[in-house]
Every structure is written in C-alpha cells, then in structure tokens.
Amino acid sequence: RFDLKQNNERGLDGCTDVFCCVIFIIVILGYIALGTVAWLHGDPRKVIYPTDSYGQFCGQKGTPNAKKSILFYFNILKCANPAVLINLQCPTTQMCVSKCPDRFATYTDMQLQYQITAAPWEYYRLFCKPGFNNPTKPVAQVLRDEDCPSMIVPSRPFLQRCFPDFITLNGTLTVAKRTHFKDALDKARSVTELRDAANGITGLVDAKEVGMKIVEDYAASWNWILIGLVIALVVSLIFILLLRFTAGLLLWFTIIAVILVIAYGIWHCYLEFSLLRQQPGADVTIVDIGFQTDVTVYLHLSQTWLIFLIALCTIEASILIILIFLRKRVWIAIALLREGSKAVSYIMSTLFYPIITFLLLAICISYFSVTSVFLASSGDAIYKVMAAEPNCMYANTTCDPETFNKTNVSKTCPGAQCTFAFYGGETPYHRYLFILQLSNLLIFLWLVNFIIALGQCTLAGAFASYYWARRKPQDIPTCPLFSSFSRAIRYHTGSLAFGALILALVQMARVILEYLDSKLKGASNVAARFLLCCLKCCFWCLERFIKFMNRNAYIMIAIYGKCFCTSARDAFCLLMRNVVRVAVLDRVTDFLLFLGKVLIAGSVGVIAFFFFTHKIPIVQEDVPTLHYYWVPLLTVIFGSYLIAHGFFSVYAMCVDTLFLCFCEDLERNDGSPEKPFLMSAELHSILRKTEHH
C-alpha cells in the first residue's frame, strides 16, 4: 500500500535540491543588499520633484524653491515632444516658478511698456533667472545669455511643469483664444508650433482631468465598492459550499445561466444596433470621434453595439460548440469537481490560503517597486554645456557649474551655459545601474514564481493527504495545510526555487523580446520584425508548457518528496501514460471553473450596475453622485472576479492533485485485498470512463 506519511518519512530524510536552495538564499541576501545600496545611493526626490537647470528640486521644503513647485521652460518651442519635457532633456533653460504665466507677453513689449510703468516688468521678472534685474538690457544679449524667456504664453501646470493652455474653439486649436502671436524678435508664431512642440499634451491634459474625476468617484463610492466585494466573497463561499452537495446541479445551472445571460446580451445589442442604425449621425465610427472622456458618447454609436454584438456571438458560439462536442467530458469533469468538493470540505482552511499568497506577493511587489525607484534615482547631477550657437565645439560636453565661468568655453562659445542635464555618474555602481535594474527584475520574477510554487506545493500536499487516507476523514492528518506548508519550506525550498528560476528565465527573455519589439516598431526591417514575432510566439508557448509541467512537478514533490528534475520527469511520464484522461480533464475542468467565476463576477456586477445607475428604488437616495458610474462598476466586477479566482484556484489545484494521485494509485494498486485502491468507488468509476471517451 502506498502511504503518504511513510513515503514522506522515507523521502524527507534529506532536503531536495540543496545546491539550488543555497543559491536561492544567497540571492535573497544579495537582493536585500541591493535594496540597501539602492536606498543609500537613491533619492526619490529626483523622481517626485522636477529639477531646474541648476540641479535644484522644485517645491522641496527647506530650500529657496520651497514655494516654487512648478518647472518653467524658457523656450518651449525647442522641445520636440512631451517625453523630452518629462525627462528634463529639453535644450532650454528651466527654472522653478510658483505659478505658470497667464498671459501673452514678449520681452520686447515689456521693455516698451517699462518706459511708462514698472508693472509689466514686475510680472515678467517672475519668469527670469533669480537675481536678474536689468529690464533695459538689449534683447539680443538677454536671449543670448538666456536671462529671461523671449516670450511667455498662457500656460497651466501639468506633471508639475508649465505647458501651453490649449483650448479647442469651434474645431480650431487656440491658446487664450488666439491662434497667432509674435516672439521677442517680432517673428510671427502660430499655436500649431506650440502644439508640435508639446505633441500629445492636450491628450495628457484630458487624461489628467479624467484621472481626477476617477479619484473623486473612488472617494465617493469606496464604501459601496467594499460592500460589493464583500458580497462577492460571500457568494463565492456559498457557491463552494453548495458544490459539496449539489455539484452537478449547480454547475449545470452555471452553464445554462451564462448561456442565457449572453443570449440576452446579444438580443439587447442587436436591438440597440437596429435602433441607432436608423438615427442620423449614429453611423460615425469610433475612430472618427477619437478619445472622449464621456463614455456615454460611444453608446450612441451603432458601431459600438455592433462590436459588442459580434464579441458576444463569438463567445456564445464557442460555449455551445464546447458543450455539444464535449458533453460527455463535461459530465466527467463535473463528477470530478464533486469529488474535489469533498476534499475541500474536509480541509476548509485551504480556501483561505490564497490570502497568504496575496500578502507575500504584495510584499514582494512593494519591495521591487521601491528598489526600482531608488535605483532609477541613483546618481549625481550631471551638467552639460548648452550652447547658444549650433557650431560650438563644446556643446553637450560635461561641465562643472562652479568652475564653468573660469574656463574658456564661454569665450569660445558666447552665450554657452553649464546647465543640469540628468542624473548619473562614473563610478562602477553608476556604470552598472542598468545591470542592477535587470537583476532586480529577474530576482523579482524568481520570487513571485517561488511564492506561487510554494502555494501550489502546499495545497497539493494537503489534498494528497486527503486522498491517501484509508479512512476519511479519520486518517487525515491534523492540520494538513500547516503540515504541508512546513514540509514544503523545510525540505523542498530548493526544488521550488529551481522550478521558479526556470520559469523566471523564460519570462525574463519574454520581457527582453517585448522591449526589443517596442524599439523596432518604427523600423522598416520586415525580416527582423518577423523573426522577433516568431521568437515571442515560441517563448509564450514555452512559458505555458513550463507552467503546466512545474505545476504537476510540485504535486509530485508534495507526494514523493523527491527533487525537482525527478518529480518533473515522473509527472511527465505519468501524464503521458494517461494522456487520454489528461485531454478529458485539463481544459474542461478549467472551462467549468471559469464559467463559475464569470457567473459570480457577472451577478455581482449586475447588482452594482442597477445600484450605481439609480435603478433600485429602495436605496436610490443612498447612491453617491458620480462623474462616471463605470468606475466603481468595473472595480466591483474586476475585484469580484479576482476573489472568485482565488477560491476557484484552490479547487483547480485540488482536481489536479486528485487526478495525479488517482493515476499513481491505479498503477501501484490493483484493487485486491493486498493492494486495495485508496480512491473512492465513485472516483474510480468516473475516471475509468475516460478510457472510452
């Protein structure tokens, strides 16, 4: 007889994959050291606060710029695109100001008005270099030395930087209702030039406004969102408890309910499409209207409902085809889920293990994010020569602002300045910052996959203890989940880390390929793009296969206590010897569990929709006033799906573990009194049927 307890006592005399365990511990210690070094060298203020041309932070408390939190560009026309602006690489003087200009003005106009009154100069000097107080200085010299901007235009702060205040009037882009203006040299300029210099800023401004409204909606509806998620939690628990007693009825109800809900969606979309097709102006395409902050605008287009209609018809057809051609396998999968629900009911603590996984992942993600920020903000301020003349031989060379005036650069290149460029350095630490960032990402992926592997192995060990118990529940060990977790940590850390490392390396390769693809998007080399696309596809398939093999290897580790490679080989061979059963159960059970998650998320989403759209009379007065009702609605739906996924992932692991245990039981035992099956009679009859399907 195969006994899990005896097997563990034999197989767990020593740890598995000790070398990988030692490497993993060393890497974790190194990761802590990396975070410490990044914390010592990094300065998040470099990310939070904009930096002026002198390397000073805008808005930092305790500095002369404490009340000047906005960065102002002397000549924004020199900035080619907003990415340059945000990265502080625009080749013009940048200084911190307390507010953005609210009017058109040129230095020439200011000098003319200064002869009458000093008021224009008092306003204009707010945007000049600190300490400059010579309004009569010739314009050519002012522009050469960049003491003041040649002109100022109405602007508003965005990302703590002053950008032109673009407004569209009757389809025409304007700034302060003007389309043309003149600079200090009396040269005609157009608003189009400003738009080209800050390409995409209008869209970013709209996005910021939408973001502010979304934040306000979350602030007004967070308590109702929380209530919706609690409802999803309760519904998920009830659903799982009902599976214990009415698995067949409940799962068929889920399938039929999903089909009927999608059918209603198809009918509603067709009705809306038919009505809008007869209305004038509704045939405008989504591309024609572009991005709109008001989502309801899209609901007045016939094309929107046509897209919904096609999508729902495709989903409905897919579900029906699966049910028609795989109906016998669906029956078998339902019966296996019923058997799995018995195991879950005996070890209810497994339902809450995803909370531990979530907390560990939250810690890992937080550490990775903080380390990334500190690494990105590591480095000293680097200053470079910004030449006023294009043929300056010292342009873009490194300089020191304290000794710059003593060099001959200013004599060779009149008007040249030593201004802040970026953060960096020449030390070994700074030279290898990119390598450190890649290391940070690789270790992060390794830790994330290890946490997931730990959860899978822990759950597999708990459910395996249920399967191999001769008398259920009497022979099930006390606290099987905690015992399985302890075994996984104590004996199999190296094996779990080994499997997680293999997966992390593949995921790292995919990240690098995605980066290369983003760089080659504008390239005309078709062969390179095709090769890259093929590599991305291959690595995606490889990642899926490794995830599948790792999952089954972890189950074998939990059962046998062997090393990763041996467990992966045994799992693969065992699955190949039962390939027919694998084909029956693998995707079909996932499909049924997916429908359950969709039903829970959809039902809670429908209630949330009626609530936030004021269609429930009883609580109509309690509904908060929102800019976009879809903000809390989508949050509730997505959160409900994640909660349901957390519970159902336990079920999926339970089914996979029972299946491998069944295959192993079938090969080791023959049902005789000497070698009796440890599976239930129902499970034996269920999976025996798969040999004929």
Side-chain angles (χ1 to χ4, degrees):
R1 181 173 72 88
F2 179 78
D3 191 305
L4 180 72
K5 182 176 180 181
Q6 292 178 2
N7 179 75
N8 280 328
E9 288 174 350
R10 290 196 307 270
L12 299 180
D13 292 335
C15 298
T16 56
D17 295 304
V18 178
F19 178 73
C20 194
C21 179
V22 173
I23 295 297
F24 184 61
I25 294 173
I26 293 173
V27 168
I28 291 178
L29 295 176
Y31 197 33
I32 296 173
L34 174 62
T36 304
V37 172
W39 182 78
L40 292 174
H41 287 83
D43 189 352
R45 295 176 302 174
K46 300 171 185 176
V47 178
I48 299 172
Y49 300 107
T51 309
D52 64 12
S53 295
Y54 309 101
Q56 298 175 339
F57 299 120
C58 297
Q60 184 186 358
K61 295 181 179 179
T63 66
N65 291 332
K67 296 183 179 179
K68 300 177 180 180
S69 59
I70 308 170
L71 194 67
F72 173 73
Y73 298 89
F74 269 31
N75 189 357
I76 198 172
L77 294 175
K78 291 184 178 180
C79 308
N81 56 64
V84 169
L85 300 180
I86 295 169
N87 291 326
L88 304 177
Q89 298 295 323
C90 187
T92 185
T93 299
Q94 304 153 28
M95 59 174 287
C96 303
V97 295
S98 57
K99 63 179 181 179
C100 295
D102 58 8
R103 68 195 71 171
F104 277 108
T106 66
Y107 192 81
T108 305
D109 292 338
M110 182 278 301
Q111 282 189 325
L112 294 175
Q113 295 172 6
Y114 179 72
Q115 299 175 5
I116 304 172
T117 174
W121 166 244
E122 293 300 325
Y123 180 79
Y124 205 93
R125 70 183 296 186
L126 295 175
F127 308 101
C128 295
K129 287 183 178 178
F132 180 73
N133 190 19
N134 185 9
T136 60
K137 185 176 180 179
V139 176
Q141 296 181 21
V142 170
L143 299 184
R144 182 198 64 192
D145 300 337
E146 292 211 8
D147 295 317
C148 291
S150 63
M151 62 181 178
I152 57 175
V153 298
S155 307
R156 58 175 165 176
F158 178 68
L159 298 175
Q160 291 185 277
R161 292 158 176 86
C162 290
F163 289 123
D165 190 6
F166 295 115
I167 299 175
T168 303
L169 295 177
N170 299 323
T172 303
L173 191 67
T174 67
V175 174
K177 300 182 180 180
R178 292 171 61 174
T179 57
H180 293 83
F181 54 94
K182 293 184 179 181
D183 61 14
L185 300 177
D186 207 33
K187 182 180 178 181
R189 298 283 190 173
S190 69
V191 171
T192 307
E193 293 182 74
L194 289 176
R195 182 196 61 190
D196 294 339
N199 185 30
I201 292 302
T202 50
L204 292 174
V205 170
D206 288 339
K208 181 190 177 186
E209 292 177 354
V210 173
M212 292 300 295
K213 291 180 180 179
I214 289 175
V215 171
E216 291 175 2
D217 287 345
Y218 276 126
S221 60
W222 68 269
N223 52 338
W224 294 107
I225 292 175
L226 193 60
I227 291 173
L229 297 179
V230 170
I231 293 175
L233 178 67
V234 174
V235 171
S236 298
L237 280 173
I238 294 175
F239 192 94
I240 285 175
L241 291 175
L242 289 177
L243 275 178
R244 171 69 176 85
F245 306 102
T246 59
L249 179 64
L250 188 60
L251 288 170
W252 278 113
F253 169 78
T254 300
I255 294 170
I256 295 171
V258 171
I259 291 173
L260 292 177
V261 168
I262 295 176
Y264 170 78
I266 292 173
W267 175 79
H268 181 74
C269 290
Y270 177 76
L271 187 64
E272 291 287 344
F273 173 71
S274 301
L275 293 174
L276 288 173
R277 194 168 51 175
Q278 301 172 2
Q279 296 180 6
D283 57 345
V284 179
T285 64
I286 296 175
V287 177
D288 291 336
I289 65 171
F291 174 75
Q292 299 291 329
T293 57
D294 187 3
V295 180
T296 57
V297 172
Y298 298 106
L299 299 180
H300 292 89
L301 302 179
S302 59
Q303 188 186 58
T304 303
W305 294 102
L306 179 61
I307 294 172
F308 289 160
L309 179 62
I310 294 173
L312 290 177
C313 286
T314 303
I315 296 172
E316 186 83 335
S318 302
I319 294 175
L320 291 175
I321 289 172
I322 291 173
L323 291 176
I324 291 172
F325 290 97
L326 302 177
R327 58 188 182 279
K328 293 182 180 179
R329 297 182 179 184
V330 170
W331 276 110
I332 296 171
I334 289 175
L336 186 62
L337 286 171
R338 186 187 303 117
E339 187 69 21
S341 66
K342 294 180 183 178
V344 173
S345 66
Y346 286 127
I347 315 175
M348 289 293 290
S349 57
T350 55
L351 291 175
F352 301 97
Y353 185 84
I355 298 175
I356 298 175
T357 301
F358 172 78
L359 293 175
L360 291 175
L361 287 176
I363 294 171
C364 188
I365 293 171
S366 300
Y367 186 86
F368 166 75
S369 302
V370 172
T371 303
S372 298
V373 170
F374 274 90
L375 283 174
S377 60
S378 296
D380 302 319
I382 301 298
Y383 298 85
K384 292 200 172 185
V385 176
M386 186 174 65
E389 301 175 357
N391 57 353
C392 176
M393 60 181 297
Y394 295 103
N396 293 323
T397 57
T398 306
C399 59
D400 185 350
E402 296 183 1
T403 61
F404 181 73
N405 293 330
K406 300 177 183 178
T407 64
N408 63 342
V409 177
S410 57
K411 297 178 182 178
T412 308
C413 303
Q417 300 180 63
C418 184
T419 59
F420 169 80
F422 55 88
Y423 290 103
E426 300 299 328
T427 65
Y429 172 77
H430 295 112
R431 283 199 299 268
Y432 293 104
L433 266 179
F434 182 71
I435 302 297
L436 293 177
Q437 283 283 25
L438 289 180
S439 302
N440 181 34
L441 177 60
L442 178 60
I443 299 173
F444 166 71
L445 293 174
W446 193 0
L447 288 175
V448 166
N449 288 312
F450 175 80
I451 292 169
I452 295 173
L454 178 61
Q456 291 175 345
C457 190
T458 298
L459 292 173
F463 291 126
S465 66
Y466 159 83
Y467 183 93
W468 297 111
R470 179 180 290 274
R471 297 175 302 160
K472 301 176 178 61
Q474 292 87 344
D475 290 345
I476 297 176
T478 306
C479 302
L481 183 67
F482 178 77
S483 300
S484 179
F485 180 81
S486 301
R487 285 197 304 271
I489 289 291
R490 182 178 179 183
Y491 297 108
H492 308 310
T493 295
S495 299
L496 300 181
F498 190 15
L501 176 61
I502 296 173
L503 186 55
L505 290 173
V506 175
Q507 291 172 338
M508 189 69 182
R510 289 194 63 198
V511 170
I512 294 173
L513 289 174
E514 289 293 341
Y515 173 77
L516 293 176
D517 186 44
S518 65
K519 291 295 182 182
L520 291 175
K521 277 187 177 178
S524 57
N525 193 331
V526 179
R529 293 293 306 279
F530 175 76
L531 178 62
L532 196 60
C533 185
C534 292
L535 287 173
K536 287 170 60 178
C537 180
C538 292
F539 273 93
W540 179 84
C541 295
L542 180 62
E543 182 184 356
R544 300 290 297 180
F545 175 74
I546 291 176
K547 282 184 176 180
F548 175 76
M549 286 307 307
N550 279 8
R551 184 182 179 92
N552 289 283
Y554 298 146
I555 295 174
M556 297 300 283
I557 289 173
I559 297 173
Y560 282 102
K562 296 181 180 179
C563 67
F564 176 80
C565 292
T566 303
S567 299
R569 182 199 62 198
D570 293 345
F572 181 77
C573 294
L574 186 61
L575 291 172
M576 289 300 100
R577 291 195 296 269
N578 297 270
V579 66
V580 176
R581 296 188 179 100
V582 174
V584 170
L585 297 171
D586 187 31
R587 294 295 94 187
V588 178
T589 51
D590 288 346
F591 169 71
L592 294 177
L593 293 175
F594 172 74
L595 290 183
K597 289 182 278 189
V598 169
L599 180 65
I600 292 172
S603 58
V604 176
V606 168
I607 296 173
F609 172 78
F610 284 115
F611 175 80
F612 288 115
T613 53
H614 301 267
K615 293 183 179 179
I616 303 179
I618 302 176
V619 292
Q620 205 168 30
E621 297 180 356
D622 298 325
V623 180
T625 303
L626 303 171
H627 297 288
Y628 310 116
Y629 71 86
W630 50 265
V631 171
L633 175 62
L634 291 180
T635 304
V636 169
I637 293 175
F638 183 69
S640 300
Y641 184 85
L642 288 180
I643 290 172
H645 176 73
F647 285 110
F648 281 87
S649 63
V650 174
Y651 250 90
M653 199 66 206
C654 177
V655 170
D656 289 347
T657 304
L658 294 181
F659 175 70
L660 279 184
C661 289
F662 166 83
C663 295
E664 189 68 31
D665 191 13
L666 209 59
E667 292 189 354
R668 286 180 168 271
N669 302 307
D670 54 12
S672 62
E674 293 79 15
K675 293 183 176 180
F677 291 127
L678 274 78
M679 70 190 79
S680 65
E682 183 182 5
L683 184 62
H684 183 257
S685 62
I686 292 167
L687 294 178
R688 274 294 189 182
K689 291 179 184 178
T690 60
E691 296 177 353
H692 309 291
H693 296 303

